[in-house]
Amino acid sequence: MYLKNYQVKVVSALKTFFAKAHSTKKEIENASKLLPVNLRQSINWVSVTYQNLGYSFQDIPKTGLGNPYPRVVIKVPTGGGKTLLAVEAIREYQNLFVQRKTGLIVWVVPSETIYTQTVLKLRDKGNYLRQLLDQCSGGNTLIFEKGQRLTKQDIEQNLVILFVMIQSVSRK
C-alpha cells in the first residue's frame, strides 16, 4: 500500500509531532523533579510542544485526573483515506510517543455506516489496515465495540481499539 503525497505529508507531520511531544514530556518531567512539589504542575508539556513546533494552542485539554494531553486534528476530504491515516496515526503514536505495543485507543465514528464498515475492515486479519495495526502491536490487536466487556488485562496485554459512535459519547 502506497501513500499519496498528501498522506505522506500528514504522516510525516504526525511523526514529528509525536517524537517532539515525547521528548518534551520527558524533559519537563525530569526538570520538574528539581522543582518544589507545588510548582511541578505549572509547566504544561503539551503547551510547550505546540509552541516548539509553531502550532497554535487554543485550549488546554486535561484528563479526568487533571493531566494535560494533546489534541491533534487531521482534516481530509471525502475519499481521502481517513481510515488509513487514522491507522497510521495509531502506529506513530504507539511507536514514537508511548513507545509500547499495548494500550487503549478509542476510535470515534460519525455514523452507523462508517462504524460498521470500519469495524469489519479492522476485524478482518487479511485486511491491510488490520495488518498495519498488528505490526505495531506485535499481532496482539483486539477490536471492541461499545458494550463489550473490556478488562484491564486486555489493555495491558493487547492494543485495544474501542469503537464508539459520536452520538453515544456525546450523551450526558
Side-chain angles (χ1 to χ4, degrees), residues 11 14 22 72 80 110 113 118 166:
V11 172
L14 286 168
H22 178 75
V72 178
T113 303
T118 309
I166 190 76

Side-chain angles (χ1 to χ4, degrees), residues 28 32 35-45 60 62 65-68:
I28 288 177
S32 71
L35 294 172
V37 175
N38 63 330
L39 294 177
R40 290 185 184 176
Q41 294 292 339
S42 64
I43 303 173
N44 181 328
W45 67 269
I60 303 172
K62 294 194 176 189
L65 298 174
N67 299 322

Side-chain angles (χ1 to χ4, degrees), residues 144-145 147-151 154:
F144 276 75
E145 297 181 64
Q148 283 186 283
R149 187 172 182 270
L150 177 64
T151 67
D154 290 330

Side-chain angles (χ1 to χ4, degrees), residues 120-122 124-132:
L120 285 174
K121 282 181 189 175
L122 296 184
D124 177 6
K125 292 190 179 205
N127 186 287
Y128 72 98
L129 295 170
R130 172 56 183 260
Q131 292 170 0
L132 290 172

Side-chain angles (χ1 to χ4, degrees), residues 2-81:
Y2 294 102
L3 297 176
K4 296 175 182 159
N5 287 338
Y6 69 90
Q7 293 169 327
V8 170
K9 289 179 185 178
V10 170
V11 172
S12 177
L14 286 168
K15 285 181 179 181
T16 300
F17 177 79
F18 288 133
K20 188 63 169 176
H22 178 75
S23 65
T24 301
K25 184 177 181 191
K26 290 293 177 199
E27 289 169 8
I28 288 177
E29 285 174 350
N30 290 335
S32 71
K33 291 175 186 174
L34 303 174
L35 294 172
V37 175
N38 63 330
L39 294 177
R40 290 185 184 176
Q41 294 292 339
S42 64
I43 303 173
N44 181 328
W45 67 269
V46 177
S47 175
V48 173
T49 299
Y50 277 86
Q51 289 170 0
N52 288 343
L53 290 169
Y55 297 151
S56 65
F57 188 75
Q58 302 298 326
D59 63 347
I60 303 172
K62 294 194 176 189
T63 66
L65 298 174
N67 299 322
Y69 69 90
R71 287 187 190 162
V72 178
V73 177
I74 302 169
K75 188 174 181 180
V76 182
T78 301

Side-chain angles (χ1 to χ4, degrees), residues 108-126:
V108 183
V109 296
S111 71
E112 180 71 40
T113 303
I114 294 171
Y115 179 97
T116 303
Q117 289 172 355
T118 309
V119 168
L120 285 174
K121 282 181 189 175
L122 296 184
R123 282 205 169 130
D124 177 6
K125 292 190 179 205

